[in-house]
């Protein structure tokens, strides 16, 4: 049976990824996750469930947190996408990446890029979140390893450091 994601012809689609204009040739219904990983070689976004349940494929699209496994690439046309690769600047880790490292918020790492992007999205909108707000902000992202407490502590610590800076 034909894959419905490949039932229309490929076309050229442009969008900005991590501040750079990128053009891809893709089937309109191809998943943004696949285009990022296979065409643009941005393998930070991970595939967990492939069904919008785990958040490991999270990216920011025009500032909104989206599950890239659910976004047809055509929907990303002319948008601005940020992946985990876009957070650090050169060798310099993003403050959330540092906090996750220091607080043991990353173990196997599958959930980590999505968690960090969800935390980034949360702190962009709420610089001083309560623990409950952090839990809620990360509620679309599942982790099988950490038991969540180190992740929550890492986000709290990043928020505290931003406040002190
Ligand atoms: S892989 Fe996209 S939500 Fe799980
Ligand atoms: S660190 Fe392994 S799933 Fe979260």
């Amino acid at each position: 049976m034909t894959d419905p994601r490949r039932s229309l012809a490929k076309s050229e689609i442009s969008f900005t990824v991590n501040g750079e204009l990128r053009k891809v040739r893709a089937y309109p219904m191809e998943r943004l996750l696949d285009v990022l990983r296979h065409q643009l070689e941005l393998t930070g976004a991970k595939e967990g469930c492939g069904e919008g349940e785990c958040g490991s494929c999270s990216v920011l699209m025009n500032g909104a947190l989206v599950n890239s496994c659910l976004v047809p690439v055509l929907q990303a046309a002319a948008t601005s996408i940020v992946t985990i690769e876009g957070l650090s600047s050169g060798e310099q880790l993003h403050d959330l990446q540092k906090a996750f490292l220091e607080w043991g918020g990353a173990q196997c790492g599958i959930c980590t890029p999505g968690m960090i992007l969800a935390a980034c999205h949360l702190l962009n909108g709420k610089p001083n979140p309560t623990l409950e707000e952090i839990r809620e902000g990360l509620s679309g992202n599942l982790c099988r390893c950490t038991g969540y407490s180190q992740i929550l502590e890492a986000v709290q610590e990043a928020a505290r450091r931003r406040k002190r800076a």
Side-chain angles (χ1 to χ4, degrees):
M1 205 169 80
T2 323
D3 181 343
R5 290 192 297 234
R6 300 187 169 221
S7 56
L8 297 169
K10 278 188 177 180
S11 56
E12 190 172 276
I13 297 166
S14 311
F15 45 90
T16 303
V17 184
N18 300 332
E20 236 181 86
L21 182 66
R22 305 298 300 260
K23 287 183 187 169
V24 296
R25 272 194 74 71
Y27 295 104
M29 296 305 287
E30 255 182 277
R31 305 182 309 171
L32 177 60
L33 175 64
D34 295 326
V35 172
L36 290 172
R37 289 181 57 85
H38 303 144
Q39 286 205 45
L40 301 181
E41 296 180 353
L42 294 168
T43 54
K46 302 285 184 274
E47 175 152 14
C49 64
E51 298 179 346
E53 299 291 335
C54 74
S56 60
C57 63
S58 301
V59 299
L60 299 177
M61 188 163 96
N62 286 344
L65 187 69
V66 298
N67 290 323
S68 62
C69 71
L70 295 184
V71 177
V73 66
L74 186 62
Q75 205 177 310
T79 67
S80 174
I81 306 286
V82 176
T83 69
I84 192 70
E85 289 89 345
L87 289 193
S88 54
S89 44
E91 299 288 292
Q92 187 64 31
L93 291 180
H94 186 271
D95 60 351
L96 278 161
Q97 291 174 311
K98 275 191 209 151
F100 268 63
L101 263 179
E102 291 165 14
W103 287 82
Q107 287 183 23
C108 81
I110 293 288
C111 73
T112 311
M115 281 288 183
I116 289 179
L117 284 163
C120 190
H121 177 254
L122 171 74
L123 295 187
N124 286 345
K126 264 190 194 26
N128 296 306
T130 62
L131 186 57
E132 215 25 64
E133 287 170 332
I134 298 175
R135 273 206 188 94
E136 199 184 314
L138 303 186
S139 60
N141 295 73
L142 306 182
C143 176
R144 290 179 187 277
C145 307
T146 63
Y148 297 98
S149 56
Q150 296 100 311
I151 290 175
L152 298 173
E153 280 163 11
V155 179
Q156 281 184 305
E157 177 61 15
R160 276 194 296 269
R161 285 180 187 170
R162 284 186 190 190
K163 211 167 155 186
R164 286 198 297 267

